[in-house]
């Protein structure tokens, strides 16, 4: 299994440009999430999905869109990039093992710089 | 106030020391907690899972929850340079299970010096 994969690893954008961060998992996990990690702020949830066709907002959803057409893929779209979106983005997938337990598996991250 | 608070450190200790990492939480409905470890330029990985009562031990690592004070701790015995990483505590965003929605502390950066 490749686990959770993210592309690209690094991206530079100009203010106002749009782009899609790709995330895929091959573990057949039902849940997928996007987080951003900033110095001094920790990991903050952007959007998450509990299954194909179902998404919901996290703590910091503004400026981002998601969709989940398949179990495997969960792309994150930046509509009009702003310098405040400079961050490291992590995708994660997880499944429920019962009793409330759930383990999130994280991808390697995408480093985004918006100029 | 964020629901999970963590001192970001950094924390520097000599090899072999006992390390104590701590978080506080505000939502008494949280029933379980997680500790993640994140090496530099890598994604977080689950280290330990603990319910809101009692301790859990796994090798050199012990996770502890004090419900009365809403305090979560991770102890590392005989710390090694390979333990140098950022440690993040987390709680589920939903009472019944996170379903992909985790609330993280800011993470504590630990450095273990040889």
């Amino acid at each position: 299994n490749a686990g959770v994969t993210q592309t690209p690893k690094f991206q530079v954008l100009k203010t106002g440009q749009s782009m899609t961060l790709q995330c895929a998992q091959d573990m057949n996990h039902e849940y997928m999430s996007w987080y951003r990690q900033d110095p001094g702020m920790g990991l903050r949830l952007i959007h998450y999905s509990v299954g194909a066709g179902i998404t919901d907002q996290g703590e910091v959803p503004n400026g981002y869109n998601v969709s989940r057409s398949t179990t495997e893929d969960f792309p994150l779209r930046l509509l009009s990039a702003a310098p405040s979106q400079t961050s490291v983005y992590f995708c994660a997938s997880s499944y429920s093992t019962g009793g409330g337990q759930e383990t999130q598996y994280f991808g390697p991250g995408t480093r985004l710089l918006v100029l | 106030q964020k629901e999970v608070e963590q001192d970001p450190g950094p924390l520097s200790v000599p090899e072999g020391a006992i390390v104590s990492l701590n978080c506080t939480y505000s939502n008494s409905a949280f029933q379980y907690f997680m500790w993640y470890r994140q090496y530099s330029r890598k994604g977080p990985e689950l280290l330990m899972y603990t319910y809101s009562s009692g301790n859990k031990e796994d090798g050199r690592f012990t996770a502890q929850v004090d419900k009365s004070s809403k305090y979560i701790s991770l102890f590392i015995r005989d710390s090694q340079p390979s333990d140098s990483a950022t440690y993040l505590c987390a709680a589920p965003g939903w009472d019944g299970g996170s379903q992909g929605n985790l609330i993280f502390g800011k993470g504590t950066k630990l450095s273990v010096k040889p």
Side-chain angles (χ1 to χ4, degrees), chain A residues 3-59:
Chain A
V4 180
T5 57
Q6 291 183 238
T7 56
K9 285 188 170 58
F10 182 69
Q11 182 73 45
V12 179
L13 288 180
K14 294 182 180 177
T15 297
Q17 287 184 317
S18 62
M19 79 161 293
T20 299
L21 280 64
Q22 301 292 344
C23 174
Q25 54 94 4
D26 61 358
M27 298 174 282
N28 201 32
H29 287 171
E30 50 194 323
Y31 311 138
M32 295 187 75
S33 315
W34 276 104
Y35 296 86
R36 60 177 288 174
Q37 188 172 37
D38 304 290
M41 300 296 292
L43 279 162
R44 292 182 292 169
L45 184 66
I46 304 171
H47 286 284
Y48 64 105
S49 168
V50 299
I54 306 169
T55 63
D56 205 347
Q57 296 180 352
E59 182 184 354

Side-chain angles (χ1 to χ4, degrees), chain B residues 33-111:
Chain B
F33 304 90
M34 290 138 281
W35 283 96
Y36 280 79
R37 178 174 60 194
Q38 184 178 21
Y39 291 113
S40 181
R41 295 187 169 263
K42 300 288 186 184
E45 55 181 354
L46 182 68
L47 186 61
M48 292 192 71
Y49 210 110
T50 182
Y51 284 90
S52 59
S53 57
N55 301 346
K56 184 174 181 180
E57 190 172 320
D58 185 1
R60 296 185 294 110
F61 297 87
T62 300
Q64 195 172 76
V65 179
D66 182 343
K67 285 176 65 175
S68 61
S69 58
K70 296 192 179 69
Y71 211 72
I72 315 161
S73 300
L74 178 70
F75 298 98
I76 308 175
R77 291 185 300 279
D78 188 25
S79 56
Q80 301 295 311
S82 58
D83 296 327
S84 298
T86 296
Y87 291 81
L88 303 110
C89 57
W94 295 98
D95 292 348
S98 74
Q99 297 187 333
N101 177 352
L102 281 180
I103 302 171
F104 282 90
K106 292 181 181 179
T108 300
K109 187 171 184 179
L110 172 67
S111 177

Side-chain angles (χ1 to χ4, degrees), chain A residues 79-101:
Chain A
L79 309 173
S80 177
S84 61
Q85 293 179 305
T86 293
S87 187
V88 182
Y89 292 85
F90 288 101
C91 178
S93 73
S94 57
Y95 67 101
S96 176
T97 56
Q101 286 207 25

